Amino acid sequence: MRTDDAKLRAELIRTARSMNERGINVNKSGNVSARCRRGASEGYLITPTGVPYGELEPEDLVFMPLEEPLDAASAVGRLRPSSEWEMHARVYLERADVEAVVHTHSAYATALACQNLPIPAFHYMVAAAGGASIDVAPYRRFGTPELAKAGAEMLREKDACLLEHHGVLACGVSLEKALSLAAEVENLARQYVIVRSLGEPRLIDEEEMREVLRKFRHYGEQPAREVKR
Ligand SMILES: [Zn+2]
């Protein structure tokens, strides 16, 4: 597991800024975190609430221990953590393999989430999220333990989901993977909205998607290589 150090803090800030560059952080609504150890405590480092990513300094990031019961008061840092800190915590508790979590309100994915429209297998890249569809977690109020649970539950089997009337939740084995998945979900959502405007979406059949997923997992075994489209 990684340690809460200057290198990780710099990487987290770089990831947060790339959310802006990729256009998936709308009005500071996005947040990102990375699992790490700080002293004897296991937890995660997360972006603070209300600070534009261009102005983020390493000391602005907040360390949250992963100890039950989860408590905002256990935060270590000079600022308050993102209001969705608990959703990040629940994903880490649910998925021992996950090292980073990204949350966004990116436009097209959020539009689909608002209409409770999951993204089906209209394109093989849907498999990048780990299944034959990207599903929608039921609406729960922002910043609540209920939303945290609903989001984390959807990530038990897959690496990304939409959050009804809210946005996107994505995770990965590294900050780069989680960020690139969140960006891919937005890309797929945009393509899917266009496809829907052309008529009834045509889907890849189940058997073929199983094969695509098998191939994706195979690629996943070679961490040095990215899945190419
Ligand atoms: Zn949000």
Side-chain angles (χ1 to χ4, degrees):
M1 188 187 307
R2 299 194 61 171
T3 306
D4 176 3
D5 57 14
K7 190 164 170 249
L8 182 61
R9 285 179 179 245
E11 198 178 320
L12 195 65
I13 290 176
R14 265 202 312 280
T15 308
R17 288 182 182 152
S18 358
M19 289 174 78
N20 290 347
E21 287 152 21
R22 292 179 184 225
I24 57 173
N25 177 37
V26 183
N27 286 336
K28 297 185 280 184
S29 57
N31 40 72
V32 52
S33 70
R35 191 197 291 270
C36 60
R37 193 182 291 283
R38 183 184 169 92
S41 183
E42 191 184 311
Y44 61 101
L45 205 53
I46 188 166
T47 44
T49 187
V51 180
Y53 290 162
E55 295 167 20
L56 265 187
E57 291 177 38
E59 304 74 39
D60 294 337
L61 301 175
V62 185
F63 178 81
M64 303 294 297
L66 272 177
E67 278 153 27
E68 301 264 24
L70 297 172
D71 184 359
S74 63
V76 181
R78 63 185 183 189
L79 297 175
R80 284 187 299 128
S82 150
S83 55
E84 298 300 357
W85 64 272
E86 194 164 345
M87 188 158 62
H88 292 246
R90 288 285 162 215
V91 175
Y92 292 121
L93 290 168
E94 195 70 59
R95 294 271 307 268
D97 60 320
V98 162
E99 296 295 324
V101 176
V102 170
H103 168 57
T104 79
H105 295 183
S106 62
Y108 284 87
T110 300
L112 292 175
C114 291
Q115 291 294 88
N116 196 11
L117 289 169
I119 305 177
F122 77 100
H123 191 292
Y124 78 90
M125 279 299 288
V126 166
S133 62
I134 298 170
D135 307 316
V136 187
Y139 176 77
R140 301 287 186 266
R141 194 175 312 132
F142 76 95
T144 60
E146 290 73 25
L147 174 64
K149 286 196 179 114
E153 216 162 88
M154 292 301 275
L155 293 201
R156 249 181 224 162
E157 308 285 330
K158 298 177 186 176
D159 292 340
C161 70
L162 306 180
L163 304 167
E164 189 178 8
H165 300 297
H166 190 147
V168 176
L169 184 61
C171 65
V173 295
S174 65
L175 279 163
E176 193 196 327
K177 296 266 185 198
L179 172 73
S180 96
L181 182 55
E184 187 56 48
V185 170
E186 176 61 7
N187 183 43
L188 286 163
R190 183 159 173 264
Q191 290 165 343
Y192 184 51
V193 166
I194 297 170
V195 164
R196 285 175 60 92
S197 77
L198 299 173
E200 184 68 27
R202 298 171 58 251
L203 304 182
I204 300 170
D205 69 48
E206 278 177 37
E207 197 180 322
E208 175 58 17
M209 276 310 274
R210 268 197 296 276
E211 192 56 26
V212 170
L213 281 159
R214 202 184 61 77
K215 283 221 152 200
F216 268 56
R217 273 193 286 272
H218 175 69
Y219 279 123
E221 284 158 16
Q222 302 173 45
R225 285 170 61 184
E226 279 287 306
V227 172
K228 294 277 191 297
R229 36 175 75 229

